[in-house]
Amino acid sequence: MKILNLFTTCVHKLGFQRVKESVRLVNDDCTQEVAQMAVTQHLVELIEQWHHDRNLIEGATDQAQLGKLVEELGELAANINRGKDVRDDIGDMIVVLVNIATRNGVTIRECLEVAYNDIRYRKGRMINGQFVKESDL
């Protein structure tokens, strides 16, 4: 955890782009992974600040943000169906999810931990390209 905090401090002081470029130069897989985590954490913090700066935390509602999430999902679906790059669409959805998480006093990390703990031992099988959990079979 100390290493992650160190990298996060570097991201704050040196800037996102410089640290991102430095990550490519790191040969140690563990160090590179920690550096990437720090960059990701910094991006989430920048997104949270962006929301605050535009009054999207206090001034928005979960229902309105849900509508925005559905809109972004539609764009993702369209680009998947067209075989186009989906990075912007997934990123936009994460931006909205960060807003909803922040509005509800939780972090994206907490949400991912809860979701992972929910699925980590889940069993099931693939049916028509979709995973169906054992309890739904």
Side-chain angles (χ1 to χ4, degrees):
M1 200 56 155
K2 287 183 179 182
I3 294 174
L4 178 57
N5 290 338
L6 175 65
F7 273 103
T8 303
T9 301
C10 289
V11 170
H12 286 288
K13 289 185 177 180
L14 298 175
F16 165 70
Q17 198 59 41
R18 281 184 62 194
V19 173
K20 186 176 175 187
E21 289 167 7
S22 298
V23 168
R24 291 188 206 130
L25 304 175
V26 176
N27 291 326
D28 178 356
D29 287 342
C30 181
T31 305
Q32 188 171 20
E33 183 67 27
V34 171
Q36 289 174 349
M37 288 172 26
V39 169
T40 300
Q41 177 59 38
H42 182 64
L43 284 170
V44 169
E45 291 169 5
L46 290 173
I47 291 166
E48 288 172 341
Q49 187 59 53
W50 184 89
H51 286 300
H52 282 287
D53 292 347
R54 286 155 183 81
N55 196 31
L56 291 170
I57 301 301
E58 296 298 323
T61 65
D62 286 344
Q63 293 79 7
Q65 291 304 301
L66 178 61
K68 185 66 175 168
L69 185 62
V70 170
E71 177 186 323
E72 299 297 348
L73 175 62
E75 292 177 18
L76 174 63
N79 282 329
I80 286 174
N81 289 332
R82 293 181 185 125
K84 292 189 173 182
D85 188 356
V86 297
R87 287 178 289 186
D88 183 59
D89 306 308
I90 293 169
D92 287 346
M93 292 178 73
I94 293 170
V95 166
V96 177
L97 290 170
V98 167
N99 178 285
I100 294 169
T102 303
R103 291 178 43 69
N104 285 276
V106 298
T107 67
I108 291 295
R109 184 173 148 242
E110 289 171 319
C111 296
L112 288 171
E113 286 175 0
V114 168
Y116 178 71
N117 287 333
D118 191 40
I119 67 166
R120 70 179 167 174
Y121 299 116
R122 185 173 289 167
K123 293 182 178 10
R125 62 179 209 213
M126 294 295 291
I127 299 176
N128 297 324
Q130 185 174 3
F131 183 81
V132 178
K133 60 184 176 180
E134 205 170 60
S135 62
D136 291 343
L137 293 174

